Amino acid sequence: MIPHFLRGPCREAPSLGAEILGGRGFAAQDRIVEAPYDAIADWYENEFLTSSRVGDPIGIDRCLRALLGEGSGTCLEIGCGTGVHAELVRSLGWSPVGVDLSAGMLGYAKGRLPIVQGAAERLPIASGTVPAVISVMVHTDMPEYPAVLREATRVLRPDGVFVHVGVHPCFCGGFADRTDLAAVVIEPGYLDGHWTKASWTTQGVRNRVGSSHWPLPDLLGAFLNAGLTLEGFAEGGAPVPAVLAVKARRF
């Protein structure tokens, strides 16, 4: 039975024992309301992914594969969206499970992996129960990402691995004009953490739901402050990277 604190379209992951479903759940103020991605879930699944993922153009899959590597047991994806990374995770031997706030996105994900609806800052997962956690192209959607990193650390088993694959903070953001990929223009704004809907294109996600930005030292510092040990890095996209990936571990 799904615990009472799980709300929305949830199904229990068959590979999980009852001990993994728990944790903080939802406080009264966390009752599920419409998430920003609910309004764009159909566009995201049927248009954006169709045009942006063919051939792995910015190296998202390559970075995830390289840093996560082969393994076994549960791999929890925070912000799983429509579940498009589940197949890759499964191919590496892991059992993917997804958490996302958006019911609209989970409507597509439920056919791809076991899911629960929940806030990334209050994961409905018991402490110290999963061997791997991933966050793929979502950190800019989470204004409280440092808190999300603390939650990832909490749910990881000792020696568990966390893999972050995200928008490159140095070369992507409201301050970066990527119209010409061979000559990306960096305008003022990188040094200041902020939220924005400014974008060089009208065909992306940022102009629809906005995004948060952390300068590189602040982003990496949040990993350390969460109690994670940095182990490896990768970049994706050329000639100017669009993706920065980080592998970290809880000891």
Side-chain angles (χ1 to χ4, degrees):
M1 178 180 295
I2 298 296
H4 71 280
F5 52 76
L6 295 178
R7 298 288 188 261
C10 306
R11 64 188 177 105
E12 186 170 348
S15 60
L16 300 183
E19 71 279 0
I20 202 169
L21 291 169
R24 305 180 186 189
F26 293 98
Q29 67 271 20
D30 296 327
R31 301 304 182 193
I32 294 297
V33 295
E34 184 177 2
Y37 271 79
D38 287 341
I40 67 167
D42 294 338
W43 167 83
Y44 187 89
E45 170 70 15
N46 299 309
E47 297 183 40
F48 179 72
L49 290 180
T50 300
S51 63
S52 65
R53 284 187 54 82
V54 177
D56 194 27
I58 58 175
I60 296 171
D61 291 350
R62 177 179 58 80
C63 288
L64 180 58
R65 184 181 293 108
L67 294 188
L68 179 60
E70 295 182 352
S72 60
T74 298
C75 178
L76 174 69
E77 182 173 1
I78 300 175
C80 67
T82 62
V84 295
H85 306 112
E87 182 178 357
L88 188 156
V89 171
R90 198 174 284 115
S91 74
L92 294 171
W94 299 95
S95 299
V97 175
V99 175
D100 202 283
L101 186 63
S102 170
M105 300 289 271
L106 289 176
Y108 288 102
K110 65 183 179 181
R112 294 169 173 153
L113 77 168
I115 56 169
V116 292
Q117 186 178 15
E121 302 87 353
R122 297 181 64 87
L123 293 172
I125 304 295
S127 300
T129 54
V130 295
V133 177
I134 62 174
S135 165
V136 185
M137 303 305 287
V138 295
H139 84 280
T140 56
D141 298 319
M142 300 174 178
E144 301 300 324
Y145 196 62
V148 176
L149 293 174
R150 293 193 294 271
E151 277 291 271
T153 305
R154 179 184 66 79
V155 304
L156 278 171
R157 293 176 183 172
D159 202 40
V161 65
F162 174 72
V163 174
H164 159 106
V165 181
V167 168
H168 203 303
C170 299
F171 307 116
C172 289
F175 54 85
D177 184 345
R178 297 181 64 89
T179 303
D180 182 354
L181 295 181
V184 174
V185 178
I186 304 298
E187 300 173 347
Y190 163 78
L191 293 175
D192 304 315
H194 61 272
W195 181 92
T196 184
K197 294 184 78 171
S199 178
W200 61 274
T201 176
T202 60
Q203 305 304 310
V205 173
R206 187 187 311 117
N207 64 292
R208 287 173 165 81
V209 298
S211 69
S212 297
H213 166 71
W214 291 267
L216 183 60
D218 293 349
L219 180 61
L220 296 182
F223 283 75
L224 301 178
N225 292 336
L228 293 164
T229 299
L230 302 178
E231 283 196 351
F233 305 91
E235 291 177 313
V240 179
V243 169
L244 174 68
V246 179
K247 179 178 182 178
R249 193 174 298 273
R250 175 195 173 187
F251 287 108

